[in-house]
Amino acid sequence: MSYCPRCAAPLETEVLNGLPRRVCRSCGFIYWNNPLPVAGAAVIDAGGRLLLARRSEEPRRGYWNLPAGFMEWGESAETGARREVAEETGIAIEITGYLASVGAGHAESPWHSITYVFFYGRPVGGVLAPGDDAEEVAFFAPGELPAEIAFTSNQVALDRWRADRAAGLPAALGLAAGR
Ligand SMILES: [Zn+2]
C-alpha cells in the first residue's frame, strides 16, 4: 500500500509490535494487514472419500483444492464453509467437526495475509456439479488423491486429515458421529 486510504498522504514503513507496517505520518493511520479469514471444508462421504475442486482461476489454475473462500459480512466460519462448498461443488453439507486453521504464507497470498479455517463436513443433499471458480469436482479415495494440490495450506490440512484418519476420528472417516 503506497498512499493513505484516509488522507491520501504517502505511507512510510515503521516497525510496530515486531513487524513492519505501513503508517501515515499525516493522520496516524496504520495499515496492520491483519489476516482475512477464509472458510472451507474437507467433505467426507459415507465411503470415506474426500471432495476436491479443480481450480478454474489463477493462481494455481488446474490444481485441486479443498472448497473454501472468503467469508461474507456477518457470517460465522461454519456458515461460510457451508456456502462455499455449495457454491463450488453443488453439495449441501452438515458440519461434522473441526479440521484445522492454517495461516497462509506470502507465496500463497502476496497482497494480504489470509488464515484458513477448515471444518469437516458430510454431504446431506445437492448434486455434484462444478460452480463458481471450480471447473471440475470429484470425490477421491484417501489413497488416490491427485498429485496437483494447489496450496501449501491445503497440504497442511490434508496431512491433518490423514492423521485424524489414522487416529480413527469419525468425522475424518465420513461417519455421522458429529454434532
Ligand atoms: Zn493519512
Side-chain angles (χ1 to χ4, degrees):
M1 186 176 285
S2 301
Y3 295 96
C4 179
R6 207 155 64 188
C7 78
L11 296 177
E12 296 174 39
T13 299
E14 191 175 315
V15 174
L16 294 171
N17 294 6
L19 288 172
R21 322 278 184 178
R22 300 293 280 167
V23 302
C24 178
R25 305 241 188 263
S26 295
C27 77
F29 171 81
I30 302 168
Y31 181 53
W32 295 101
N33 203 5
N34 298 116
L36 296 176
V38 172
V43 179
I44 315 292
D45 73 5
R49 300 180 307 162
L50 171 72
L51 177 60
L52 292 175
R54 197 172 183 202
R55 300 176 60 77
S56 63
E57 309 280 343
E58 296 295 347
R60 293 279 188 233
R61 183 176 180 184
Y63 284 65
W64 295 83
N65 62 9
L66 295 167
F70 290 105
M71 290 164 55
E72 300 289 2
W73 192 310
E75 275 186 333
S76 68
E78 289 90 338
T79 300
R82 283 198 303 268
R83 178 183 50 73
E84 287 290 338
V85 170
E87 286 177 1
E88 290 185 25
T89 73
I91 298 295
I93 64 163
E94 166 186 87
I95 301 292
T96 52
Y98 171 75
L99 172 55
S101 76
V102 188
H106 281 271
E108 188 167 329
S109 181
W111 302 114
H112 49 73
S113 55
I114 61 177
T115 296
Y116 288 89
V117 180
F118 289 116
F119 297 95
Y120 283 114
R122 69 183 188 98
V124 293
V127 176
L128 192 62
D132 206 10
D133 55 358
E135 63 181 22
E136 189 179 352
V137 288
F139 282 94
F140 293 90
E144 297 171 359
L145 298 194
E148 305 83 16
I149 299 297
F151 301 116
T152 303
S153 58
N154 276 237
Q155 293 286 7
V156 171
L158 293 179
D159 287 346
R160 188 73 57 86
W161 172 52
R162 292 186 185 97
D164 286 350
R165 277 186 59 82
L169 191 73
L173 299 169
L175 304 176
R179 54 193 182 179

